[in-house]
Amino acid sequence: MTAAPADTDVLLRVRGTVQGVGFRPFVHRTAAGLGLRGWVLNDAEGVLVRAAGDPARVTALVEALRRDPPPAAAVASVDRLAPGADLPPAGPGFTIGASRPGGEIVTATPADLAACADCLRELLDPADRRYRYPFINCTQCGPRYSIIEQLPYDRPQTTMRCFRMCPACAREYADPASRRFHAEPNACPDCGPHLTLCNPAGTAIGEREAALNHTGTLLREGLIIAVKGVGGYHLLCDATNETAVATLRRRKHRDQKPLAVMFRDLAHLDKFAEVSPAAAALLTSPAAPIVLVPRRPDAALAPAVAPGNPWVGALLPNAPLHHLLLAALDFPVIATSANLASEPICTNNAEARRRLAGVADMFLEHDRPIAHPVEDSVVRFAAGDAPILLRRARGYAPAPFTLPGHLPGVVLCVGGQMKNTIAVAAGDHVVLSPHLGDLDDVLTHHTFERTIATLGRLYGAEFTAVAHDKHPAYQSTLYADRLGLRRIAVQHHLAHVLACLLEHHHPADGVLGIAWDGTGYGEDGTVWGGEFILLQQNRAERFARLRPFRLA
């Protein structure tokens, strides 16, 4: 008789976007279903798995980790390691262990995700205990980066720590068969955040369901409402009401720039714009960005939505709160960032009432603190339905990218003056922050500094160098000057070419990059614009350019 193969005992290191996306529950269910012993836990580098049992079943687990992760996860690698003496042995069953603190943080911070189909079904089911609860979520959806204060991603390290789970939520959180098994923002009407409708003075007009219903009435009456979402406030008003939209433009000091419009669903949007299958897929994806779609000539949108512009910046409800609001309306709503022109988005209740005084007529707020502001992402399509990300924010960031080489130390990258984004680069990866805005504005500059502190804290980074734009007068450059670190000045258009190559995973060799991006401070101290940059053998050469001319 052939002897059964000896059990295998392996340690697996999983890297990528594997925290805050239901990865540990997935590993637990998969390993337990295969009859394996061991554990899974979060740590600074991602997820650790110890699995013991039949060698073929351990191999099946490894393949499942690589091929069948949860929809919101992105597995960069699965490596086998030798189990160390400092790690607990594989026990008699398979468990989820406590997170391990310390170590170099290289795991990706999970992005905020739109409400999933399962949660939306429960949201609209009168028999469900979370019926019409605006903060419903599970391991596959809900707030992530906007509530994280520290990694690894566990509830005590998020702004949800101030909400103690009720017994029913705690049972779900501890039940491997539940969709909310280790869902860190888990809550319900009995123990979680709730809505309040306030006037500009901060006086409560209504709570919970009454606040939601009254907000719908105010929108139908043509008022402008500041609504607190996942990563900050939006200003909402009836997108078919020219008086309301024109009033919003005047109060917000936004003369011509198009305003985003939120539609109830794809069928509703189809009455106002032409929606390709590719656009529909993006609009309904977990990232749920704003997507630019061609406006129908007879669309009943107010002319002030996008004066003289054939495109509509469309988005669908992404938070459960938005789904509930739009379901009660028979018109689309403007959903623009709640700020004055050039300022960052409002996130704090008292701050919103102060900064938006004279802009919003009422405020629909909630008591879940926002740790980090997150704007909406914006996508358009090029020829052949190729998506181009114009603004990388909610749903996409913080975004990790793999570098072509390995960096010594930790490099802070502070970006340019306009449409600023910062990044932290270490080892073989770089993590990009959400879109921040233009640094001319003092409030945006404060957000810029807070975001640097946040990514430094999240990734445990002691910065060893700072990369900045070559322009000596940019606010980001002046900030880099004050840090006292080794500085790496990068020419503006070269940065654009290199970023494009990194985004599309193309090696930076044998490439002619063409940058038609306004102006940038040149290597010779003049203003450059319209550059052909040849990259070969780790060198960049200004191969051709537009003819220069003198400026006053």
Side-chain angles (χ1 to χ4, degrees):
M1 189 171 74
T2 305
D7 279 0
T8 297
D9 184 359
V10 300
L11 186 67
L12 305 173
R13 157 65 64 207
V14 189
R15 291 185 173 89
T17 304
V18 290
Q19 294 188 17
V21 292
F23 201 85
R24 287 176 300 168
F26 155 72
V27 174
H28 181 277
R29 287 191 297 270
T30 305
L34 289 168
L36 298 174
R37 298 176 291 108
W39 44 257
V40 57
L41 56 81
N42 283 344
D43 70 357
E45 292 186 57
V47 167
L48 267 181
V49 181
R50 186 157 192 173
D54 178 80
R57 297 189 178 197
V58 170
T59 299
L61 173 65
V62 174
E63 290 305 307
L65 298 183
R66 289 180 174 140
R67 289 202 313 253
D68 304 312
V75 175
S77 61
V78 180
D79 299 313
R80 294 196 184 209
L81 309 176
D86 61 327
L87 295 171
F94 202 94
T95 61
I96 292 183
S99 297
R100 299 179 76 212
E104 180 191 2
I105 297 179
V106 299
T107 190
T109 306
D112 300 287
L113 302 171
C116 69
D118 288 330
C119 281
L120 291 179
R121 277 193 291 272
E122 294 174 347
L123 181 71
L124 302 177
D125 180 1
D128 194 276
R129 72 187 189 92
R130 291 187 176 86
Y131 175 56
R132 294 186 62 78
Y133 181 55
F135 306 98
I136 189 171
N137 68 82
C138 69
T139 53
Q140 291 307 298
C141 68
R144 297 294 189 268
Y145 172 72
S146 61
I147 63 171
I148 290 173
E149 294 180 322
Q150 190 68 50
L151 288 173
Y153 174 63
D154 292 310
R155 191 180 181 104
Q157 308 205 102
T158 74
T159 62
M160 283 298 294
R161 67 177 177 275
C162 55
F163 300 97
R164 184 173 183 176
M165 282 185 281
C166 66
C169 286
R171 282 194 297 272
E172 291 173 330
Y173 185 87
D175 179 6
S178 170
R179 206 174 75 254
R180 295 183 172 90
F181 185 40
H182 281 260
E184 306 306 343
N186 192 30
C188 76
D190 293 334
C191 64
H194 75 276
L195 294 175
T196 304
L197 180 66
C198 294
N199 66 18
T203 304
I205 306 299
E207 303 272 341
R208 303 179 187 267
E209 187 72 12
L212 190 65
N213 292 335
H214 195 37
T215 298
T217 299
L218 295 174
L219 288 168
R220 283 187 287 271
E221 292 174 355
L223 272 66
I224 298 167
I225 314 298
V227 176
K228 185 179 182 182
V230 172
Y233 277 80
H234 286 91
L235 291 168
L236 268 58
C237 72
D238 181 352
T240 66
N241 184 329
E242 176 67 9
T243 300
V245 179
T247 300
L248 174 58
R249 279 199 178 277
R250 185 178 69 254
R251 293 180 182 179
K252 188 175 160 69
H253 307 311
R254 187 164 176 170
D255 296 331
Q256 295 291 324
K257 192 175 179 182
L259 298 167
V261 184
M262 183 179 288
F263 297 84
R264 185 173 55 246
D265 50 33
L266 283 176
H268 193 208
L269 171 57
D270 190 60
K271 298 176 181 178
F272 296 84
E274 298 171 14
V275 186
S276 69
L282 266 183
L283 286 161
T284 56
S285 70
I290 295 171
V291 179
L292 302 187
V293 291
R295 177 175 176 165
R296 294 193 185 280
D298 58 347
L301 294 173
V305 169
N309 195 313
W311 299 86
V312 178
L315 75 160
L316 300 184
N318 54 80
L321 172 58
H322 297 142
H323 282 276
L324 293 173
L325 276 174
L326 270 291
L329 303 174
D330 59 0
F331 53 82
V333 297
I334 298 297
T336 186
S337 300
N339 53 11
L340 296 178
S342 81
E343 289 185 356
I345 192 171
C346 294
T347 57
N348 175 273
N349 297 348
E351 170 207 31
R353 292 194 295 271
R354 184 182 72 252
R355 285 174 51 197
L356 299 174
V359 180
D361 297 306
M362 289 285 180
F363 296 79
L364 183 61
E365 57 191 43
H366 59 73
D367 55 346
R368 183 176 67 205
I370 295 174
H372 317 297
V374 187
E375 297 256 22
D376 293 312
S377 296
V378 182
V379 180
R380 65 163 296 178
F381 285 95
D385 277 341
I388 299 175
L389 207 52
L390 300 181
R391 185 166 74 192
R392 186 183 294 270
R394 179 182 52 77
Y396 292 95
F401 291 91
T402 302
L403 295 171
H406 196 280
L407 286 174
V410 182
V411 181
L412 169 65
C413 313
V414 294
Q417 181 77 3
M418 299 177 67
K419 300 181 176 64
N420 181 270
T421 299
I422 66 116
V424 175
D428 61 355
H429 67 281
V430 57
V431 176
L432 195 64
S433 82
H435 162 87
L436 300 179
D438 297 348
L439 296 184
D440 289 330
D441 185 83
V442 173
L443 292 174
T444 304
H445 197 279
H446 290 163
T447 301
F448 162 81
E449 293 188 350
R450 287 200 307 271
T451 304
I452 290 172
T454 293
L455 288 190
R457 186 173 66 251
L458 286 178
Y459 290 93
E462 288 292 333
F463 301 125
T464 56
V466 56
H468 60 86
D469 193 283
K470 203 168 184 67
H471 199 297
Y474 279 0
Q475 289 299 317
S476 52
T477 303
L478 297 175
Y479 177 86
D481 290 344
R482 297 194 295 271
L483 293 180
L485 300 173
R486 180 171 66 90
R487 290 166 44 198
I488 306 165
V490 185
Q491 203 281 321
H492 191 86
H493 299 100
L494 174 60
H496 278 301
V497 172
L498 294 175
C500 185
L501 293 172
L502 182 67
E503 180 180 1
H504 295 279
H505 313 290
H506 195 289
D509 189 39
V511 170
L512 181 61
I514 305 170
W516 298 103
D517 174 63
T519 60
Y521 196 85
E523 299 284 359
D524 57 3
T526 65
V527 176
W528 286 9
E531 308 305 314
F532 289 67
I533 298 175
L534 184 63
L535 300 172
Q536 53 186 359
Q537 298 180 348
N538 209 30
R539 292 179 56 85
E541 176 191 354
R542 191 188 188 199
F543 181 78
R545 56 178 168 77
L546 293 178
R547 186 183 302 119
F549 55 90
R550 294 188 180 277
L551 298 172

